[in-house]
Amino acid sequence: MRRCAYCGDPITAEEDYKPISVDVATGAGGTVFWHARPCKRAERQTYPVPSRRDT
């Protein structure tokens, strides 16, 4: 099963997608997939959580 690297949702067999090659200098790289139609980015934490050492 393929998952969209942008929104995290699965890509079904009926949906169009774009394969994107990821080249990495330290490894073999890989391929990620994005929905061909625009999708919403998954909700993610966008700021660091302070640790006990920071307070």
Side-chain angles (χ1 to χ4, degrees), residues 45 47-55:
Q45 179 179 331
Y47 56 91
V49 175
S51 68
R52 289 185 316 162
R53 293 181 287 163
D54 295 337
T55 58

Side-chain angles (χ1 to χ4, degrees), residues 7-48:
C7 70
D9 289 338
I11 299 174
T12 63
E14 296 84 29
E15 292 181 296
D16 291 331
Y17 61 89
K18 291 192 279 186
I20 298 170
S21 178
V22 178
D23 296 325
V24 181
T26 59
T31 303
V32 296
F33 304 96
W34 281 14
H35 285 110
R37 297 179 68 184
C39 53
K40 288 187 175 183
R41 187 180 259 309
E43 296 279 337
R44 294 198 183 133
Q45 179 179 331
T46 58
Y47 56 91

